Amino acid sequence: GLHSSKRRFILLDLKTGTAEKYLTSHGKGSDPDGNGYVNSFSNAEGSNQTSLGFYKTDEVYVGKHGRSMRLQGLSSTNSNAYARAIVVHGAAYVSEVSNSAGRSLGCPALDNQVVQAVIDKLRGGSMMLIATSRAL
């Protein structure tokens, strides 16, 4: 429910109780007017929208965005995530320095300066949740 200029990718360490917050993108189809707020979510191929639900982190690979991490959708609302190539990746349109996050094709993209450390912390079967508190 937060604006894309807010640090809404929250990494919780359940062993230590610490939290780290990062800027992240949302799908351009979820924010068609580009105002920074999500208007809708979808699990459909080609929607370019963010999908709500629980995810399990999967393999790390090198693709068009460099070293990235695949996500397995575990909910009915994100069951197509793997087929849609919804992944954690770095992007020049997300900047921790300027407090800005552009729009992706539905991926939770992060600043290129932090993405590798986040992938290293989440790899190997961590749980992720993409949710909203905003009434749509």
Side-chain angles (χ1 to χ4, degrees):
L2 296 176
H3 190 269
S4 61
S5 65
K6 304 297 181 191
R7 286 171 173 74
R8 56 203 177 128
F9 189 110
I10 304 168
L11 186 61
L12 298 172
D13 185 323
L14 298 178
K15 291 180 183 174
T16 65
T18 59
E20 300 170 20
K21 295 181 180 182
Y22 302 98
L23 291 172
T24 189
S25 64
H26 53 248
K28 67 180 183 177
S30 291
D31 177 11
D33 56 6
N35 70 0
Y37 287 104
V38 171
N39 297 324
S40 59
F41 298 92
S42 177
N43 190 29
E45 185 76 35
S47 68
N48 295 331
Q49 292 189 21
T50 299
S51 297
L52 295 174
F54 287 97
Y55 294 81
K56 178 181 159 194
T57 63
D58 206 319
E59 71 178 315
V60 175
Y61 70 101
V62 177
K64 70 179 181 177
H65 296 288
R67 187 168 172 263
S68 305
M69 182 174 57
R70 297 188 198 283
L71 297 174
Q72 288 282 347
L74 302 176
S75 304
S76 61
T77 52
N78 65 8
S79 59
N80 294 325
Y82 198 90
R84 291 178 59 203
I86 302 301
V87 303
V88 176
H89 65 80
Y93 54 80
V94 181
S95 172
E96 292 284 332
V97 173
S98 65
N99 285 333
S100 64
R103 298 173 297 160
S104 67
L105 299 181
C107 298
L110 299 168
D111 184 311
N112 283 317
Q113 301 301 311
V114 302
V115 70
Q116 296 312 314
V118 172
I119 286 173
D120 287 341
K121 290 176 182 178
L122 289 176
R123 68 184 302 173
S126 293
M127 180 72 64
M128 284 184 63
L129 173 63
I130 295 179
T132 185
S133 60
R134 195 164 172 239
L136 300 176

